[in-house]
């Protein structure tokens, strides 16, 4: 099915992202796996190529593009390379900047946005805590007023880009009596006393991404680092989670689609009983099902991207796109592993890594159960 949401300008952006992958990322794939992170110079190069500042106004060093479809093509191309790069770049460039652009003061925008656009300031967002991530309103990290600032105490876990982060948007409880309305966003900067970026966590997949614990021990955060109004942090997160979820959906589909294309080629090349394994009716029908699944998922996600570009994507539709695409991705990749036989279980084959990487997409950005909770509530239950 021809896709109809992207025009030639989006395709030009796609070509430049693809070129960046081939020239800068692909030759260093092993280095990123071994280092469990994306090296700093790659962040800077991606910034120079203009992949980070899409949502950031030109006066603050960004591209000032008010069209989410550009973000989506970049996410697709990064996912075709690997899911981890798409996730790390996505958090930095699609998830974090809107908080500063929408909620930041003029001074905060001048202070942070140019570095976010250039890749000099690597960003993370820290909501999840060791005690729980789904029930965000119950978070325990506290920030207590002290003179002209705050004293922050607590910890966060599973934070993407957490180890390398220079800037972290931290959700903290500023009023214990108010539940969701007692949460405020504070910008914590590398080097603040008492702020520790913990070790890189040892994950089942997404080897190239740095995922870390963060610790805050009596960190003094000046009030100039408060993002948005006191007590409005939960609402700010709820308003911006649809962009994170549609981005996740874009990546899920593009990631699975790339691996499926490779698998179809493999099924043409690999022979058993004197014929290509794809020629056995079971496998032929299976691949027919898989391409159909991908194309149907892609059509829904494309509609979400188009709606989001017009500012019309609902939180419920973003939730549908997120859970469905991650389920489809996992189903498709599991079959792709099977079609590769034993090679499908070898790390040197992309399909094996992709299969491991995909698993987390049913858990993060709001678990699939939480997505169904949102959709179910919208049905009136
Ligand atoms: C690699 C990775 C990267 C991540 N990056 C980030 C990041 O950058 N920033 C960040 O803040 N977080 C991040 N997360 C955290 C992620 O968003 C959480 O893991 C997720 O929201 C689930 O929270 P939890 O792990 O505490 O599970 P829990 O909330 O403890 O849930 C455990 C299980 O119970 C289910 N459950 C919970 N409540 C309900 C309910 N009401 N109905 C039905 N089932 C329910 C969940 O779906 C899940 O299956 C990341 C996680 C991983 C693994």
């Amino acid at each position: 099915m021809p896709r109809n949401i992207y025009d030639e300008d989006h395709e030009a952006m796609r070509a430049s992202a693809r070129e960046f992958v081939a020239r800068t990322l692909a030759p260093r794939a092993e280095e990123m796996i071994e280092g469990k992170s994306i090296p700093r110079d790659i962040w800077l190069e991606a910034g120079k190529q203009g992949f980070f500042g899409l949502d950031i106004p030109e006066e603050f060093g960004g591209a000032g593009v008010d069209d989410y479809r550009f973000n989506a093509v970049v996410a697709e191309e990064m996912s075709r390379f690997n899911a981890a790069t798409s996730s790390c770049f996505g958090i930095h460039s699609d998830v974090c900047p809107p908080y500063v652009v929408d909620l930041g003061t003029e001074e905060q925008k001048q202070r942070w946005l140019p570095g976010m656009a250039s890749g000099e300031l690597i960003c993370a967002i820290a909501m999840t805590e060791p005690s729980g991530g789904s029930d965000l309103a119950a978070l325990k990290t506290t920030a207590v007023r002290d003179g002209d600032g705050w004293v922050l105490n607590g910890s966060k876990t599973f934070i993407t880009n957490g180890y390398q982060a220079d800037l972290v948007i931290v959700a903290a409880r500023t009023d214990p009596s108010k539940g969701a309305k007692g949460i405020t966003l504070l910008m914590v900067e590398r080097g603040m006393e008492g702020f520790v970026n913990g070790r890189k966590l040892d994950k089942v997949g997404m080897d190239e991404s740095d995922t870390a614990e963060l610790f805050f021990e009596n960190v003094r955060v000046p009030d100039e680092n408060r993002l948005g109004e006191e007590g409005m942090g939960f609402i700010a997160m709820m308003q911006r989670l649809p962009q994170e979820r549609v981005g996740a959906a874009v990546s899920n589909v593009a990631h699975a689609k790339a691996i499926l294309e490779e698998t179809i080629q493999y099924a043409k090349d690999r022979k058993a009983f004197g014929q290509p394994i794809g020629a056995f009716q079971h496998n032929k029908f299976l691949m027919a099902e898989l391409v159909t699944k991908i194309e149907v998922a892609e059509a829904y996600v494309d509609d979400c991207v188009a709606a989001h570009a017009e500012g019309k994507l609902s939180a419920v539709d973003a939730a549908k796109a997120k859970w469905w695409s991650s389920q489809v991705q996992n189903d498709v990749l599991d079959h792709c592993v099977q079609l590769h036989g034993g090679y499908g279980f070898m790390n040197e084959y992309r399909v094996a890594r992709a299969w491991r990487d995909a698993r987390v997409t049913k858990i993060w950005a709001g678990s699939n159960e939480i997505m169904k909770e949102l959709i179910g509530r919208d049905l009136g239950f």
Side-chain angles (χ1 to χ4, degrees):
M1 278 256 295
R3 301 172 75 189
N4 54 21
I5 62 162
Y6 297 119
D7 64 26
E8 57 191 34
D9 290 338
H10 303 113
E11 293 307 331
M13 174 62 98
R14 183 190 301 287
S16 103
R18 199 166 276 197
E19 209 266 327
F20 171 77
V21 168
R23 185 174 40 82
T24 307
L25 295 180
R28 298 177 66 184
E30 282 303 317
E31 180 187 343
M32 288 189 261
I33 291 169
E34 277 161 29
K36 287 191 178 160
S37 62
I38 300 170
R40 282 255 168 195
D41 65 294
I42 292 186
W43 285 93
L44 294 175
E45 185 59 26
K48 209 185 285 175
Q49 299 290 320
F51 300 133
F52 291 157
L54 295 167
D55 286 341
I56 296 175
E58 279 176 280
E59 56 189 302
F60 301 113
V65 180
D66 191 17
D67 177 353
Y68 182 73
R69 291 174 296 175
F70 286 100
N71 306 49
V73 286
V74 174
E76 283 191 1
E77 292 310 311
M78 296 307 148
S79 304
R80 289 183 69 86
F81 171 58
N82 67 40
T85 307
S86 180
S87 149
C88 294
F89 281 3
I91 291 284
H92 172 79
S93 66
D94 291 352
V95 175
C96 293
Y99 283 87
V100 183
V101 171
D102 300 345
L103 307 173
T105 62
E106 185 64 21
E107 185 274 327
Q108 289 175 330
K109 290 179 192 179
Q110 280 175 10
R111 194 148 45 113
W112 295 317
L113 290 176
M116 292 166 89
S118 69
E120 280 160 292
L121 294 179
I122 297 176
C123 290
I125 182 159
M127 307 182 198
T128 307
E129 303 189 346
S131 59
S134 300
D135 188 3
L136 200 52
L139 62 83
K140 294 187 166 70
T141 293
T142 56
V144 177
R145 266 271 183 207
D146 184 45
D148 57 357
W150 303 87
V151 178
L152 184 67
N153 275 291
S155 64
K156 300 284 178 178
T157 194
F158 309 141
I159 306 307
T160 302
N161 299 337
Y163 186 79
Q164 286 186 298
D166 302 295
L167 276 178
V168 186
I169 302 170
V170 177
R173 177 159 305 289
T174 44
D175 189 337
S177 68
K178 286 196 178 148
K181 290 188 179 145
I183 294 171
T184 302
L185 301 179
L186 297 176
M187 198 65 124
V188 174
E189 298 176 76
R190 176 176 287 280
M192 283 181 167
E193 211 179 321
F195 168 41
V196 177
N197 310 64
R199 69 195 164 97
K200 292 178 195 170
L201 296 169
D202 183 16
K203 308 190 294 295
V204 165
M206 297 273 179
D207 292 336
E208 304 85 346
S209 71
D210 105 48
T211 310
E213 294 168 295
L214 304 178
F215 302 98
F216 312 101
E217 200 182 322
N218 292 323
V219 182
R220 301 192 77 81
V221 183
D223 197 46
E224 300 91 76
N225 281 31
R226 174 170 45 81
L227 263 188
E229 296 297 313
E230 193 179 330
M232 297 300 281
F234 186 80
I235 290 172
M237 291 186 284
M238 290 303 117
Q239 286 169 338
R240 280 156 197 81
L241 277 168
Q243 171 142 326
E244 180 170 353
R245 288 173 185 155
V246 74
V250 166
S251 297
N252 293 341
V253 173
H255 182 229
K257 188 177 179 181
I259 301 296
L260 179 57
E261 285 165 10
E262 291 179 11
T263 303
I264 292 168
Q265 187 57 50
Y266 183 83
K268 288 178 181 165
D269 298 339
R270 179 77 176 171
K271 301 220 166 38
F273 300 95
Q275 55 177 315
I277 56 154
F280 297 116
Q281 191 186 53
H282 171 82
N283 294 337
K284 184 167 56 179
F285 278 22
L286 175 62
M287 286 184 285
E289 288 174 19
L290 301 183
V291 291
T292 309
K293 269 192 185 178
I294 288 288
E295 286 186 28
V296 171
E298 185 177 67
Y300 184 79
V301 173
D302 278 357
D303 274 1
C304 288
V305 168
H308 190 51
E310 291 180 19
K312 292 181 182 160
L313 179 68
S314 73
V316 171
D317 288 344
K320 290 173 189 165
K322 190 270 169 186
W323 92 259
W324 181 257
S325 62
S326 58
Q327 185 65 51
V328 166
Q329 175 188 219
N330 274 270
D331 294 347
V332 167
L333 291 178
D334 195 62
H335 287 300
C336 289
V337 167
Q338 191 71 16
L339 283 162
H340 275 80
Y343 294 106
F345 203 62
M346 297 298 125
N347 274 329
E348 67 195 83
Y349 276 70
R350 257 162 59 87
V351 64
R353 291 186 172 280
W355 174 70
R356 290 197 279 116
D357 292 349
R359 186 59 183 85
V360 75
T361 66
K362 295 201 277 186
I363 298 170
W364 70 14
S367 70
N368 281 8
E369 292 74 29
I370 295 299
M371 297 304 98
K372 292 174 197 176
E373 181 64 34
L374 294 174
I375 299 160
R377 258 186 245 162
D378 186 57
L379 297 175
F381 296 106

